[in-house]
Structures are given as structure tokens and as C-alpha cells.
Amino acid sequence: MRKEQVMRWSGLALFALMAVLWPGHDRARAAQSAAGSGGNGQPFVIEYYYKAKWGHADEFLALFKKNHYPVLKKEVELGRMLKVSMVAPRYHTTEDGRWDFRVTIVYKNATIANDNFDSAALIKQLYPDQETYKKEEQRRFEILDAHWDLPIKDVDLDTR
């Protein structure tokens, strides 16, 4: 194998490993941060950003409303989440900063936000046709260019 091929394969392997490990790292850091600030009893807010491929924002929104939003609403009913909302930018931005939808979820607290809740039972209850559900959820993520999660905190501007 040539040196360039080895380097390319090494880079791909590293990227694949990071893709698998990084989401867990982010959640662990968020939980540690929240626990370290004594925020376990306070609501914990995460913003979820979605950037659809050009021309697919409406399709993404339709699939989100059909397959994901009802699961989130059920978690609000269960008391895990206090609120779920979505916004979209009114105007466009530069491509590197573009996002199409921001979903804000206010969890009851940081512990619940990071507890690895398994929604499989809710999904089976809400969507008896699992084959269609899985196909549509796969499509919802196929039409994304990017997705990222951002735990946020309030900043008190009145204290020093």
C-alpha cells in the first residue's frame, strides 16, 4: 500500500472512531458540567440544530412532525421534559453558519437529560408499523447535511 493510501485509511478510521465516541463524550461533559454547577434540580436546556440538504427542509419538517415530535410530546406528558419548541430562521445566512430548524428542549433537570432514556417502548406504542417508521426516520436523517446538540445555560447579566 502506498503511503497516501495508508494515511487516508488511517484518517478514515480515526474519523469513524470519533463519530462513535464523540456523542457520548458530549453528553458526559454536559452531565458533569451540570452536576458540577449544582444544576441537577434546575431545568436543563439543550438546543438541537438541523441543517437539511438544499430543497429538503419541508420534507424534513414533515417527517419530524410525523415521527419524532409525538415521541417528544409523550416525554413531556411523562414529566421528563418541561417544554419542546422549534424555530426556523426568518432569513438566510452564510452556508457555513446555516441551519434550518432549532428544536429547544427544556428537560426537568440535567440528570434526566443525560439518563440514556430508552424511548423504544413509546415508539412501538405510537407507531405499530415499525417498518414504515424506521424507513421514514432513516429518510429524515438522510436528507440532513448536519445536526448538532448544544446544551445551554442562562447568563446572569445583572451580577458581577
Side-chain angles (χ1 to χ4, degrees), residues 40-51:
N40 277 341
Q42 299 297 314
F44 189 78
V45 182
I46 303 179
E47 293 180 339
Y48 299 86
Y49 290 84
Y50 298 94
K51 178 181 177 182

Side-chain angles (χ1 to χ4, degrees), residues 70-93:
V71 177
L72 298 176
K73 286 191 339 186
K74 203 67 151 162
E75 290 193 49
V76 170
E77 289 174 22
L78 292 172
R80 293 179 40 73
M81 299 171 181
L82 303 177
K83 182 179 178 184
V84 176
S85 61
M86 178 186 270
V87 297
R90 188 174 301 270
Y91 303 114
H92 63 85
T93 64

Side-chain angles (χ1 to χ4, degrees), residues 2-155:
R2 294 186 343 190
K3 183 178 178 182
E4 297 85 20
Q5 289 175 315
V6 170
M7 290 177 64
R8 186 178 70 193
W9 282 108
S10 297
L12 290 172
L14 178 60
F15 177 76
L17 182 61
M18 286 176 59
V20 169
L21 296 177
W22 193 256
H25 174 72
D26 284 347
R27 285 199 173 259
R29 278 191 15 211
Q32 289 170 350
S33 173
S37 66
N40 277 341
Q42 299 297 314
F44 189 78
V45 182
I46 303 179
E47 293 180 339
Y48 299 86
Y49 290 84
Y50 298 94
K51 178 181 177 182
K53 293 179 182 175
W54 278 106
H56 292 279
D58 290 340
E59 180 184 6
F60 174 84
L61 181 57
L63 290 169
F64 183 93
K65 285 179 171 182
K66 180 180 179 189
N67 292 321
H68 194 54
Y69 185 54
V71 177
L72 298 176
K73 286 191 339 186
K74 203 67 151 162
E75 290 193 49
V76 170
E77 289 174 22
L78 292 172
R80 293 179 40 73
M81 299 171 181
L82 303 177
K83 182 179 178 184
V84 176
S85 61
M86 178 186 270
V87 297
R90 188 174 301 270
Y91 303 114
H92 63 85
T93 64
T94 61
E95 182 59 24
D96 60 331
R98 180 178 73 82
W99 51 271
D100 296 295
F101 302 102
R102 181 185 72 213
V103 175
T104 302
I105 298 178
V106 180
Y107 290 90
K108 186 174 181 179
N109 58 47
T111 302
I112 288 174
N114 294 286
D115 69 358
N116 293 324
F117 177 75
D118 185 3
S119 59
L122 291 177
I123 291 168
K124 285 180 182 172
Q125 175 190 359
L126 291 168
Y127 305 100
D129 183 355
Q130 284 291 291
E131 186 176 322
T132 298
Y133 170 81
K134 288 175 184 176
K135 188 183 299 182
E136 290 176 349
E137 279 296 272
Q138 179 180 343
R139 177 66 182 157
R140 183 167 69 94
F141 282 94
E142 285 173 354
I143 60 178
L144 286 180
D145 269 339
H147 167 70
W148 61 97
D149 307 337
L150 182 64
I152 62 169
K153 64 179 183 174
D154 288 329
V155 176

